[in-house]
Amino acid sequence: MSSSQTWLAGDVDAMTAFGAQLARACQGRGVIFLEGDLGAGKTTLSRGILHALGHQGAVKSPTYTLVEPYTLADTTVYHFDLYRLLDPEELELMGYREYFHDQALTLVEWPERGRLLLPEPDLRLRLAEPPAGGRELAVTAVTARGEQILNELRNGG
Ligand SMILES: Nc1ncnc2c1ncn2[C@@H]1O[C@H](COP(=O)(O)OP(=O)(O)OP(=O)(O)O)[C@@H](O)[C@H]1O
Ligand SMILES: [Mg+2]
């Protein structure tokens, strides 16, 4: 059984603010899958998380390099974008397991593409654009730690 909750981010600022709440709720640790179509807002949310954790520069989808590491004051964030992953073997070759450890926050855009290899996430976020605009964020806890993060989010991060 898993618990979930849906939020609405009406514009990019709301998305950034949600990213900041999520950064606080998880204290910069965990594995979060970001699902949703092209343009659903996965990178925008990742940017919000990274800026809240102290990263000051740009945040782009690492479409060609597959992963971008960010060494921050209190944690390390690994931002994956697996959109262009053709063969799971590429993940093996890059030693992907090292990017999933207790002391880091690992964000994965397009996790479906690495489904056979990736470890289970703590949280799964599904982003979608509802007809009324903005973005809907459906957050599902997968692990016990994910449940804690979801509860923190319910309390406002
Ligand atoms: N809550 C929001 N309301 C309205 N527009 C948004 C919201 N969040 C993001 N956007 C806009 O949606 C567009 C796509 O966002 P983004 O690049 O984050 O999507 P993505 O899911 O990472 O796409 P891709 O799968 O191509 O990596 C951007 O123009 C961004 O400004
Ligand atoms: Mg993206």
Side-chain angles (χ1 to χ4, degrees):
M1 207 201 74
S2 62
S3 51
S4 10
Q5 183 158 337
T6 298
W7 278 267
L8 188 72
D11 56 22
V12 170
D13 286 350
M15 199 71 154
T16 305
F18 189 86
Q21 280 179 16
L22 185 52
R24 277 196 298 276
C26 73
Q27 298 181 308
R29 303 283 189 283
V31 177
I32 301 180
F33 282 4
L34 301 172
E35 304 170 352
D37 289 342
L38 282 170
K42 303 177 293 295
T43 301
T44 306
L45 183 64
S46 301
R47 193 173 289 128
I49 293 170
L50 277 156
H51 286 162
L53 291 172
H55 173 66
Q56 294 185 339
V59 174
K60 290 188 201 141
S61 265
T63 313
Y64 291 95
T65 51
L66 298 182
V67 67
E68 184 69 34
Y70 296 86
T71 304
L72 305 173
D74 299 321
T75 189
T76 301
V77 178
Y78 299 114
H79 179 203
F80 279 86
D81 180 351
L82 301 183
Y83 184 67
R84 293 194 180 274
L85 185 75
L86 297 173
D87 183 344
E89 176 77 2
E90 286 180 63
L91 278 176
E92 288 286 12
L93 289 172
M94 70 189 286
Y96 74 95
R97 287 181 189 82
E98 293 187 13
Y99 298 95
F100 293 82
H101 62 80
D102 304 6
Q103 298 308 309
L105 172 61
T106 305
L107 305 171
V108 188
E109 297 190 34
W110 293 99
E112 305 87 334
R113 312 262 155 131
R115 167 173 68 85
L116 296 173
L117 289 178
L118 296 182
E120 181 177 70
D122 294 303
L123 281 186
R124 206 180 279 288
L125 265 71
R126 173 151 277 277
L127 281 64
E129 186 174 358
R135 298 292 187 276
E136 196 179 81
L137 300 113
V139 182
T140 301
V142 180
T143 63
R145 166 122 174 81
E147 292 283 351
Q148 285 172 2
I149 301 171
L150 180 56
N151 279 331
E152 289 294 325
L153 270 178
R154 285 178 173 134
N155 297 328

